[in-house]
């Protein structure tokens, strides 16, 4: 049932809503704060957000009931949702009488009235006025406000608020003078005319305060400075310090030049000075030269006790000690005014009188320069030089100790430790180098050079450890040779030959760059000729050309280019005299070596450099590693059986999750993450072997159907195999030892770059 707003419950003023289809029974009981009670609250009806303006507690009247057509179908919402966050704001004022002020019978207090459309509540706040002397803020908290008697049973609604109207709220009459733009548009859209905003009257008390402030303010031509609060300087310049560097030249008998740091605190105009002690000066203790405080400009000596007081005493009245009265001078007649240093007195070159000591400022920091540049317009901040100092002491390094010669016991480092300290310590190892090159061993094959024929046939392996620069030699056993193979030289650092053993200086030891193919080394009076090196050694030397010049391909090619340039055609003909240079022209290692040595001597082009060139331009590529698919699958199923894994559904779900578009192929990274995510008991080596035997497309992607069939043990099983070492036995990864036997001659000539130079010279 609907009724007109503000109309009594009389016959003819009520209408039925025939468009309503649901008639639920209202709740009559409620549970509020733990108490069961009768619910007599009336819930608001649904309203239209853009419909006619109504009181939230009084639903609108259905105007379509009198029409011949069907009522308009619109979305109706509860008021708390339809008018959510919509507030009407009105500007108002009220006059408060003042009986205790003669010149102002009343004061005008301006307020803001807020009307919340969602529940019909109101709130009144008063903006704060400076120096008003009255508590301001929220005058009426948010609530539903009843009307003035005799209508005190009803609440103030939106129809009671408008511009140029009076509204009584709790025995106080407010006159509404204006509203904001949203309120005006909302009321106009609802069909309520809003008058033009009115001018609010002036407050007499505010005018009185303005007139009194003008009287107390000093005139522009007056010489009296305006009063400033003593705490304002601290708030403005707190933690801002002007820092100067200076010195005090002490001219006493044992005096010298003292370096000082002068800090001026802008917050309270105080100064403190600290001394900077030079190294090895013999001074210690606190570095405070002057405690923080105001520094007077004049100093005539220490004042006597009672000479500096805040009150000047004129006379003392009374005979006994109990009845003594003092007569003070309120004008402080005869008291001398003490002037202190300020920021205006501090500048580079200024002399400060620090209680009889002349401190000279020589320089300042960047903040101090910016401060004086902005405030005083000073632009020159050239630092001054210090006078010649005599307190600087050179760092005492001590006399160079002459150590006794090495006696042959232990190492040179141990002998030095025994001579330098009373408690010798073990020599400190280079831990950074140890961690970097741990496990890195360079192995070379060598022959022993001797006048004895049998010794020349012996083969050795020289191992150089990069972690600690030690050398170890093993002899390769050979049947019926008469020599027992095994360790020939224990692991130790080997000094270079030709050095005096029993001397006080440390000897020089063999380095990694001293070992290369074709070199001859003297190790413990045994001469070895290096003839070969393993694959790791050659790769390490090629990857570090700065440490191994014999493996620097750029330097080697420059050397060959300079030697071959005059006879380039003869060089090409000697390498390939019969065959024309096609797309894949190769030459053997021996042919290229003999040809290069005909243009360069053995001293200028070493054997290791020739090996580096042949390996760099090698025409032989490493064959792909061979892995049997059934063998790898049997090893994978063996690991799955060991771990009792049989969860193909989870693997299928994971693949469908990472492949929502159901593509037939996915990348190897996705397959690898799937195997690790489903916690399959595979090692990293086995995962890589599985990825190698799976079906791939031209882009290198893995087939999804092949992945699911590879791990499905119920559909297709392979014969079981014996347990094996997966890292080494499943797919053997043998090093490629034939690199450099054949040389890509076209690539070599292209990098040599003499063909283009020859064509350019002919044209």
């Amino acid at each position: 049932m609907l009724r007109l707003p503000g109309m009594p419950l009389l016959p003819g003023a009520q209408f039925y809503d025939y468009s309503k289809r649901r008639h639920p029974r209202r709740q009559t009981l409620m549970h509020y704060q733990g108490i069961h009670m009768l619910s007599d609250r009336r819930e608001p009806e649904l309203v239209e957000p853009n419909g006619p303006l109504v009181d939230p507690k009084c639903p609108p009247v259905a105007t379509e009931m009198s029409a011949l057509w069907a009522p308009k179908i619109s979305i109706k919402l509860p008021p708390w949702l339809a008018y959510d966050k919509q507030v009407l704001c009105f500007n108002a004022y009220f006059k408060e009488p003042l009986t205790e002020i003669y010149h102002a019978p009343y004061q005008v207090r301006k307020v803001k009235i807020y009307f919340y459309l969602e529940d019909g509540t109101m709130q009144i706040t008063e903006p704060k006025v400076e120096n008003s002397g009255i508590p301001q803020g929220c005058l009426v908290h948010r609530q539903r406000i009843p009307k003035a008697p005799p209508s005190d049973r009803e609440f103030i609604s939106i129809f009671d608020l408008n511009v140029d109207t009076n509204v009584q709220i709790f025995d106080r009459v407010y006159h509404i003078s204006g509203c904001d733009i949203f309120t005006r548009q909302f009321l106009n859209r609802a069909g309520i005319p809003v008058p033009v905003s009115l001018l609010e009257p002036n407050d007499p008390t505010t005018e009185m305060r303005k007139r009194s402030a003008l009287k107390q303010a000093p005139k522009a031509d007056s010489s009296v400075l305006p009063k400033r609060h003593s705490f304002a300087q601290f708030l403005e310049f707190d933690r801002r310090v002007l820092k100067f560097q200076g010195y005090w030249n002490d001219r006493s008998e044992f005096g010298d030049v003292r370096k000082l740091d002068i800090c001026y605190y802008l917050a309270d105009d105080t100064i403190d000075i600290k001394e900077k002690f030079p190294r090895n000066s013999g001074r210690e203790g606190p570095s405070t030269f002057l405690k923080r405080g105001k520094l007077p400009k004049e100093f005539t000596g220490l004042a006597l006790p009672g000479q500096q007081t805040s009150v000047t005493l004129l006379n003392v009245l009374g005979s006994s000690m109990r009845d003594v009265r003092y007569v003070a001078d309120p004008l402080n007649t005869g008291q001398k005014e003490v002037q202190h240093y300020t920021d205006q007195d501090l500048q580079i070159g200024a002399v400060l009188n620090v209680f009889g000591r002349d401190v000279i400022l020589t320089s300042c920091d960047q903040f101090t320069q910016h401060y004086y540049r902005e405030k005083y317009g000073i632009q020159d901040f050239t630092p001054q030089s210090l006078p010649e100092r005599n307190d600087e002491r050179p760092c005492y390094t001590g006399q160079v100790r002459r150590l006794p010669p090495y006696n042959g016991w232990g190492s040179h480092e141990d002998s030095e430790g025994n001579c330098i300290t009373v408690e010798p310590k073990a020599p400190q190892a280079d831990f950074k180098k140890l961690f970097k090159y741990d496990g890195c061993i360079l192995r070379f094959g060598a022959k022993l050079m001797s006048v004895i024929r049998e010794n020349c046939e012996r083969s050795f392996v020289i191992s150089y450890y990069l972690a600690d620069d030690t050398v170890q030699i093993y002899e390769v056993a050979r049947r019926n040779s008469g020599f027992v193979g095994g360790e020939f030289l224990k692991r130790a650092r080997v000094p270079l030959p030709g050095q005096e053993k029993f001397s006080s200086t440390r000897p020089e030891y063999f380095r990694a760059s001293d070992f290369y193919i074709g070199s001859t080394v003297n190790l413990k009076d045994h001469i070895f000729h290096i003839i070969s090196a393993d694959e790791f050694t050659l790769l390490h030397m090629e990857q570090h050309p700065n440490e191994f010049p014999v493996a620097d391909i750029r330097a080697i090619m420059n050397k060959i280019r300079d030697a071959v340039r005059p006879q380039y055609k003869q060089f090409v003909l000697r390498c390939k005299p019969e065959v024309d240079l096609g797309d894949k022209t190769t030459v053997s290692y021996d042919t290229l070596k003999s040809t290069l040595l005909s243009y360069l001597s053995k001293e200028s082009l070493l054997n290791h450099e020739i090996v580096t060139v042949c390996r760099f331009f090698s025409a032989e590529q490493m064959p792909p590693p061979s892995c049997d698919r059934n063998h790898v699958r049997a090893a994978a199923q063996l690991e799955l059986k060991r771990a009792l894994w049989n969860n193909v559904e989870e693997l299928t779900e994971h693949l469908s999750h990472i492949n929502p578009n159901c593509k037939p192929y996915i990348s190897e990274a996705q397959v690898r993450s799937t195997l690790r995510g489903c916690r399959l008991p595979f090692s990293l080596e086995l995962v890589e072997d599985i990825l190698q035997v799976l079906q791939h497309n031209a882009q290198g992607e893995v087939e999804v159907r092949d992945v699911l069939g590879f791990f499905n043990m119920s559909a297709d099983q392979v014969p079981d195999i014996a347990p094996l070492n997966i890292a080494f036995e499943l797919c053997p990864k043998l090093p490629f030892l034939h690199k450099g036997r054949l040389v890509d001659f076209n690539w070599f000539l292209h990098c040599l770059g003499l063909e283009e130079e020859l064509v350019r010279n002919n044209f």
Side-chain angles (χ1 to χ4, degrees):
M1 181 177 292
L2 306 177
R3 66 182 181 89
L4 293 175
M7 294 296 293
L9 294 175
L10 297 176
Q14 301 177 4
F15 303 93
Y16 288 97
D17 187 3
Y18 293 99
S19 62
K20 189 174 182 180
R21 295 293 182 266
R22 295 182 68 256
H23 302 275
R25 183 181 297 275
R26 295 183 178 179
Q27 185 71 24
T28 58
L29 300 177
M30 64 180 298
H31 185 79
Y32 180 72
Q33 295 184 356
I35 302 175
H36 300 278
M37 60 178 62
L38 183 65
S39 176
D40 56 351
R41 298 183 179 181
R42 179 185 176 188
E43 296 183 359
E45 300 288 342
L46 299 179
V47 298
E48 300 179 11
N50 298 324
L53 184 63
V54 296
D55 188 358
K57 296 300 180 181
C58 183
V61 179
T63 58
E64 293 86 353
M65 295 297 102
S66 60
L68 298 176
W69 320 110
K72 180 181 179 181
I73 300 176
S74 60
I75 300 176
K76 294 185 178 182
L77 301 175
W80 59 269
L81 186 58
Y83 301 132
D84 184 30
K85 297 181 181 179
Q86 296 185 11
V87 183
L88 304 183
C89 179
F90 298 92
N91 299 327
Y93 67 91
F94 66 92
K95 295 182 180 180
E96 185 178 19
L98 300 176
T99 57
E100 65 276 5
I101 300 179
Y102 175 73
H103 295 284
Y106 62 89
Q107 63 178 355
V108 178
R109 300 179 63 176
K110 302 176 183 180
V111 298
K112 286 185 177 294
I113 301 176
Y114 298 99
F115 186 87
Y116 296 87
L117 295 172
E118 55 182 343
D119 54 358
T121 56
M122 297 177 59
Q123 183 183 5
I124 302 177
T125 60
E126 181 181 5
K128 292 185 178 181
V129 180
E130 187 178 1
N131 298 328
S132 63
I134 55 176
Q136 295 171 328
C138 184
L139 299 182
V140 179
H141 292 278
R142 182 176 176 180
Q143 57 183 306
R144 296 204 72 187
I145 300 177
K147 296 182 179 180
S151 303
D152 52 352
R153 293 183 177 272
E154 300 179 1
F155 296 97
I156 297 177
S157 64
I158 194 174
F159 303 102
D160 303 322
L161 303 177
N162 205 338
V163 179
D164 197 12
T165 59
N166 295 330
V167 56
Q168 183 177 353
I169 300 175
F170 298 136
D171 297 335
R172 181 175 286 175
V173 179
Y174 297 88
H175 187 74
I176 301 177
S177 60
C179 62
D180 57 359
I181 299 177
F182 171 75
T183 304
R184 185 178 297 275
Q185 293 177 355
F186 187 86
L187 295 179
N188 291 337
R189 188 173 64 250
I192 301 177
V194 181
V196 182
S197 300
L198 305 177
L199 295 178
E200 297 179 348
N202 295 330
D203 185 16
T205 57
T206 304
E207 299 297 332
M208 289 176 57
R209 286 193 296 268
K210 291 181 180 179
R211 289 194 296 268
S212 61
L214 292 176
K215 291 180 181 179
Q216 295 178 2
K219 297 181 181 180
D221 55 350
S222 176
S223 60
V224 181
L225 297 177
K227 292 184 179 180
R228 189 180 183 187
H229 198 277
S230 58
F231 204 61
Q233 182 179 359
F234 173 79
L235 296 176
E236 183 179 358
F237 298 105
D238 184 28
R239 293 184 296 180
R240 295 187 181 182
V241 183
L242 305 180
K243 188 173 182 180
F244 294 86
Q245 288 76 34
Y247 68 91
W248 170 50
N249 194 357
D250 187 8
R251 295 299 184 180
S252 60
E253 182 178 359
F254 300 101
D256 46 21
V257 179
R258 306 288 186 89
K259 280 186 177 182
L260 305 174
D261 285 338
I262 300 95
C263 296
Y264 182 86
Y265 299 87
L266 296 173
D268 53 358
D269 299 329
T270 56
I271 297 177
D272 72 338
I273 303 176
K274 297 185 183 306
E275 183 178 359
K276 296 190 297 184
F277 296 141
R279 294 181 57 185
N280 304 320
S281 62
R283 302 188 184 97
E284 61 181 2
S287 61
T288 303
F289 188 82
L290 176 65
K291 187 173 65 175
R292 180 176 174 178
K294 291 189 175 183
L295 181 62
K297 293 184 178 181
E298 298 180 1
F299 177 73
T300 57
L302 295 177
L304 299 176
Q307 185 175 358
Q308 292 182 353
T309 58
S310 58
V311 179
T312 302
L313 190 62
L314 295 180
N315 200 352
V316 180
L317 303 178
S319 57
S320 61
M321 296 297 296
R322 294 183 178 180
D323 299 331
V324 173
R325 292 175 295 168
Y326 303 96
V327 179
D329 184 10
L331 301 178
N332 290 331
T333 305
Q335 187 176 8
K336 185 178 180 181
E337 182 180 0
V338 180
Q339 296 183 357
H340 300 85
Y341 282 102
T342 60
D343 56 346
Q344 300 179 1
D345 305 320
L346 305 181
Q347 57 181 349
I348 296 178
V351 181
L352 305 183
N353 183 9
V354 183
F355 297 105
R357 300 177 178 179
D358 294 336
V359 175
I360 303 172
L361 306 182
T362 58
S363 61
C364 59
D365 60 356
Q366 296 294 332
F367 172 75
T368 306
Q369 295 180 11
H370 178 73
Y371 176 80
Y372 280 96
R373 189 180 296 110
E374 295 293 333
K375 186 174 182 179
Y376 298 104
I378 300 177
Q379 300 295 334
D380 187 14
F381 298 99
T382 305
Q384 294 186 358
S385 59
L386 295 176
E388 185 178 356
R389 299 171 59 92
N390 54 4
D391 62 344
E392 291 184 352
R393 304 292 185 268
C395 183
Y396 178 73
T397 57
Q399 189 177 4
V400 179
R401 183 175 297 179
R402 186 175 181 181
L403 299 177
Y406 176 63
N407 56 5
W409 294 92
S411 62
H412 284 266
E413 291 78 5
D414 292 335
S415 300
E416 290 181 1
N418 292 329
C419 298
I420 293 175
T421 60
V422 179
E423 297 181 2
K425 298 181 181 179
Q428 188 70 24
D430 190 356
F431 288 100
K432 293 184 178 180
K433 186 177 182 180
L434 180 63
F435 292 148
K436 182 179 180 181
Y437 295 108
D438 185 25
C440 296
I441 306 174
L442 305 182
R443 294 183 176 88
F444 301 90
K447 290 286 186 177
L448 182 63
M449 300 179 64
S450 175
V451 295
I452 303 175
R453 180 180 177 181
E454 289 78 7
N455 289 340
C456 297
E457 298 177 356
R458 301 167 66 181
S459 301
F460 297 88
V461 176
I462 302 176
S463 301
Y464 186 90
Y465 295 83
L466 295 174
D468 53 358
D469 299 329
T470 54
V471 179
Q472 189 179 28
I473 303 177
Y474 274 87
E475 182 178 0
V476 180
R478 189 164 56 91
R479 296 181 62 182
N480 301 326
S481 62
F483 298 98
V484 180
E487 188 177 29
F488 184 82
L489 178 64
K490 291 185 178 181
R491 180 179 175 180
R493 289 194 299 173
V494 180
L496 293 175
Q499 301 182 85
E500 185 179 356
K501 181 177 181 181
F502 301 100
S503 64
S504 58
T505 58
R506 291 187 182 183
E508 296 183 4
Y509 298 94
F510 275 98
R511 299 295 179 185
S513 58
D514 299 330
F515 297 90
Y516 53 88
I517 299 176
S519 64
T520 302
V521 292
N522 188 351
L523 303 175
K524 298 290 185 179
D525 296 334
H526 291 78
I527 302 175
F528 294 91
H529 181 69
I530 299 177
I531 58 176
S532 63
D534 63 353
E535 184 68 18
F536 173 80
T537 303
L538 295 175
L539 287 176
H540 181 80
M541 298 176 72
E542 292 169 0
Q543 293 172 1
H544 301 82
N546 297 330
E547 302 177 8
F548 302 94
V550 293
D552 190 357
I553 187 63
R554 294 184 178 180
I556 299 173
M557 291 301 294
N558 292 334
K559 188 189 305 183
I560 297 176
R561 186 181 298 107
D562 296 338
V564 175
R565 180 180 286 109
Q567 301 176 359
Y568 174 69
K569 293 183 178 181
Q570 291 77 3
F571 171 77
V572 176
L573 292 176
R574 292 189 62 176
C575 290
K576 299 296 290 184
E578 299 177 358
V579 183
D580 295 337
L581 297 180
D583 294 338
K584 296 182 180 180
T585 303
T586 60
V587 294
S588 63
Y589 168 79
D590 298 331
T591 304
L592 183 61
K593 178 181 178 181
S594 59
T595 306
L596 291 176
L597 291 179
S598 62
Y599 290 90
L600 293 169
S601 62
K602 294 184 178 181
E603 291 77 11
S604 57
L605 187 63
L606 304 176
N607 290 340
H608 196 111
E609 295 178 342
I610 299 175
V611 172
T612 302
V613 172
C614 294
R615 285 175 55 85
F616 186 81
F617 300 101
S618 176
E620 298 173 301
Q621 301 296 332
M622 179 182 296
S626 60
C627 287
D628 187 6
R629 177 184 174 89
N630 294 330
H631 197 53
V632 174
R633 188 180 180 190
Q637 292 186 4
L638 178 63
E639 296 295 329
L640 295 178
K641 292 177 182 179
R642 284 180 176 180
L644 301 178
W645 186 91
N646 190 12
N647 198 355
V648 184
E649 293 78 7
E650 182 182 357
L651 182 63
T652 306
E653 181 181 358
H654 197 281
L655 287 175
S656 62
H657 176 70
I658 65 175
N659 187 20
N661 298 329
C662 298
K663 297 180 179 179
Y665 293 92
I666 59 177
S667 63
E668 289 188 356
Q670 291 177 330
V671 177
R672 190 182 291 107
S673 64
T674 302
L675 299 181
R676 305 300 294 177
C678 294
R679 300 182 180 275
L680 271 72
F682 297 155
S683 61
L684 297 178
E685 293 81 4
L686 183 56
V687 171
E688 297 300 328
D689 295 339
I690 292 173
L691 292 176
Q692 185 177 350
V693 299
L694 290 175
Q695 297 294 333
H696 293 73
N697 60 358
Q699 289 75 23
E701 296 178 339
V702 183
E703 187 179 2
V704 178
R705 185 175 57 182
D706 189 28
V707 174
L708 296 176
F710 191 87
F711 299 104
N712 192 358
M713 295 183 293
S714 60
D716 185 14
Q717 291 187 357
V718 293
D720 296 336
I721 61 174
L724 74 167
N725 191 338
I726 296 176
F728 299 98
E729 299 179 7
L730 184 60
C731 292
K733 302 176 179 60
L734 300 177
F736 183 61
L737 304 179
H738 306 292
K739 187 177 182 180
R741 294 185 306 177
L742 294 178
V743 180
D744 190 346
F745 196 58
N746 293 332
W747 186 14
F748 175 77
L749 295 180
H750 176 72
C751 293
L752 200 61
L754 296 179
E755 187 72 26
E756 293 80 1
E757 184 179 347
L758 183 62
V759 174
R760 193 183 314 112
N761 294 335
N762 292 336
F763 287 97

